[in-house]
Amino acid sequence: MRLSLLQRASLWLYGWAMWLLVPVLKRKLRRRGAQESGYLKHIEQRWGTYPGIPACTGAVWVHAVSLGETRAAAILIKALRQQSPGIRILLTHGTATGRAEGLGLLQAGDVQAWQPWDMPSAVQGFLDHFQPCMGVLLETEVWPQLIHTCAQRGLPVHLVNARMSERSLRKALRQRALALPAYGRLTSVLAQTEADAQRLCQLGAPVTAVMGNLKYDIQIDPSQAALGQQWRAGAQRPVVMFASSREGEEAQWLALLDQISPQEQASVQWLVVPRHPQRFNAVAQLIEAAGWSVQRRSHWPVESVPAAKPKTVWLGDSLGEMQAYYQLASVAWLGGSFEPLGGQNLIEAAACGCPIIMGPHTFNFCEAAIQAEQHGAAVRVHSMAEAWVATQRSVNQPEAAQTAQDGARRWLAQGQGAAHACAQSLLITTHP
């Protein structure tokens, strides 16, 4: 694909803009590092410098920016290893939570690094050092300079588990001079749904197949399941989990609690698990300011839940225990769906057999949300007041929870198989 004069000029200006934004990124990393120390480690890697990190020539480069993408990458990497034993992986991330999760995916010969900042020198330093045989980007991670440099070098780059919401499409079309060549120069795109494929094609992306969602192939960690079930056996009342809550939603939820009676408040045990670890302390302070006590997971007894206390919220301030939390909960509210934030992945909750209540905003996971509702695995509400009514019905009617679990099994079964198909497509295309 030849770039037009406008596209070349836009890419040149973009490269300069990214270079000028380096001081801003450094300040942001320092701020984030004060809350999550992982952001302060190996910062030089973001600029394309890798002291002490071995080259990974011929490896398959998998980029999973954050926690959700890393969990999807884990499923894909497992399938790649099954079909190509001995394959080496270069795994990159953009967030500390993603990097921490990804560490557990590495085997002998694999390498982990930060995603390079999207400016020419950093991207070139990254590719010069590692020399992968192909790139595999998860879901939405298309960066103009990264794709341009890979295309110049003839490095195939695939976008897998690809999704594109209407909102993201509109944003990309407003920046078409950068977006069209970035998407158009990908080697292949494996979309989650037909709707995603149609939107990606509007950006010139070479969509070769609709594979479904990798996350349907999730496997529950037996140790996490056992821990969650042990917690549940020790809980003295039904646990309602606010899963992956986002900024603005906790305040809305606390306002709801003020409106319900003390008897209703005491009928369930609330567990709040914020989406971003850097917000753990802020959410704890918000809950305490509303007159509730907080018991953090990090302060619980080793393998049991705390004793029930009036007006006390449990705060899930740990990483890597979402499956245990879902096993503990009788019902989960879907974070990101009660404010216009697009929702969160609800497949993991369904796989754990946890009934889901979701708000009106699920545009980032539109088809999954629709299918979950159609199969009875999730209930759609328009407000938190409606969510509380649905919660009471779920915890007080065992048959409702069983119906949700049966629906979740049917829903997940019809979506499985994407990981094997994606891995097969990638390996056939590139022959690493």
Side-chain angles (χ1 to χ4, degrees):
M1 175 183 179
R2 292 177 60 87
L3 300 186
S4 68
L5 180 61
L6 174 60
Q7 290 170 340
R8 289 199 301 271
S10 298
L11 189 63
W12 183 83
L13 289 171
Y14 170 83
W16 271 100
M18 295 299 280
W19 183 81
L20 292 171
L21 285 171
V22 166
V24 177
L25 176 63
K26 288 181 176 180
R27 286 196 296 272
K28 180 180 178 181
L29 290 174
R30 285 195 294 269
R31 289 197 303 271
R32 294 292 293 273
Q35 299 169 313
E36 292 181 74
S37 60
Y39 282 98
L40 301 178
K41 297 177 180 178
H42 312 296
I43 289 179
E44 71 283 349
Q45 293 180 7
R46 296 187 185 265
W47 322 127
T49 303
Y50 305 93
I53 305 296
C56 208
T57 305
V60 173
W61 161 38
V62 178
H63 176 57
V65 62
S66 191
L67 185 61
E69 291 85 356
T70 304
R71 288 173 175 165
I75 297 169
L76 177 61
I77 290 170
K78 181 178 180 180
L80 287 169
R81 295 194 198 279
Q82 288 173 341
Q83 296 183 37
S84 181
I87 193 171
R88 290 184 301 137
I89 301 295
L90 164 61
L91 187 59
T92 60
H93 311 276
T95 70
T97 52
R99 184 161 177 148
E101 182 82 5
L103 187 62
L105 306 180
L106 303 181
Q107 295 185 5
D110 296 341
V111 174
Q112 186 182 46
W114 287 116
Q115 170 194 11
W117 184 237
D118 201 39
M119 63 182 188
S121 60
V123 172
Q124 290 165 9
F126 171 79
L127 295 176
D128 287 343
H129 183 82
F130 290 115
Q131 300 182 27
C133 70
M134 70 169 167
V136 180
L137 312 179
L138 269 292
E139 300 195 2
T140 61
E141 282 296 292
V142 177
W143 290 86
Q145 189 63 57
L146 184 68
I147 302 303
H148 173 70
T149 307
C150 289
Q152 283 186 318
R153 296 181 177 218
L155 177 67
V157 178
H158 308 269
L159 182 65
V160 305
N161 216 41
R163 57 185 173 89
M164 173 66 65
S165 69
E166 286 287 352
R167 177 179 293 192
S168 297
L169 175 62
R170 289 193 298 270
K171 181 179 179 181
L173 289 173
R174 288 195 297 269
Q175 303 167 351
R176 64 181 69 234
L178 287 171
L180 295 184
Y183 282 91
R185 298 171 94 184
L186 290 165
T187 305
S188 73
V189 175
L190 306 179
Q192 290 188 20
T193 70
E194 289 289 351
D196 290 316
Q198 291 172 11
R199 287 189 281 266
L200 286 159
C201 284
Q202 291 184 55
L203 296 173
V207 179
T208 56
V210 175
M211 292 288 193
N213 193 333
L214 291 170
K215 294 174 184 175
Y216 284 114
D217 290 313
I218 185 174
Q219 294 185 347
I220 302 304
D221 183 337
S223 63
Q224 287 287 298
L227 179 61
Q229 290 162 8
Q230 184 173 334
W231 285 346
R232 184 163 181 161
Q236 295 168 288
R237 44 193 181 187
V239 175
V240 181
M241 176 182 176
F242 200 163
S244 297
S245 64
R246 302 281 294 276
E247 190 167 4
E249 292 184 316
E250 296 97 354
Q252 188 184 156
W253 160 70
L254 288 165
L256 169 72
L257 295 188
D258 277 344
Q259 297 169 14
I260 65 178
S261 68
Q263 292 78 14
E264 288 179 308
Q265 290 178 3
S267 65
V268 301
Q269 173 62 60
W270 285 98
L271 165 65
V272 178
V273 185
R275 175 69 180 87
H276 298 112
Q278 68 268 23
R279 298 189 60 242
F280 288 160
N281 291 336
V283 173
Q285 292 168 5
L286 190 68
I287 294 170
E288 289 170 341
W292 290 69
S293 299
V294 174
Q295 289 184 316
R296 294 173 176 256
R297 158 64 182 128
S298 56
H299 297 163
W300 289 7
V302 176
E303 293 182 344
S304 62
V305 295
K309 295 181 180 179
K311 292 200 72 171
T312 298
V313 173
W314 293 346
L315 180 66
D317 64 344
S318 64
L319 297 178
E321 291 190 323
M322 282 299 288
Q323 292 183 5
Y325 290 142
Y326 281 129
Q327 297 282 349
L328 164 64
S330 296
V331 63
W333 291 19
L334 185 67
S337 70
F338 292 93
E339 290 285 334
L341 299 167
Q344 299 293 151
N345 170 35
L346 58 164
I347 295 172
E348 188 172 33
C352 292
C354 184
I356 305 157
I357 297 175
M358 55 189 179
H361 307 289
T362 54
F363 52 80
N364 283 337
F365 303 89
C366 184
E367 184 155 322
I370 291 171
Q371 291 180 354
E373 186 176 10
Q374 289 173 343
H375 283 84
V379 173
R380 170 86 69 183
V381 298
H382 296 93
S383 66
M384 285 196 176
E386 289 185 20
W388 175 240
V389 173
T391 297
Q392 292 176 300
R393 182 167 59 250
S394 183
V395 299
N396 292 324
Q397 298 177 8
E399 64 275 13
Q402 187 61 52
T403 297
Q405 291 170 352
D406 293 342
R409 279 192 288 270
R410 291 193 301 272
W411 169 46
L412 294 178
Q414 58 86 34
Q416 291 172 343
H420 175 83
C422 281
Q424 187 174 54
S425 177
L426 292 169
L427 293 171
I428 289 173
T429 300
T430 311
H431 302 291

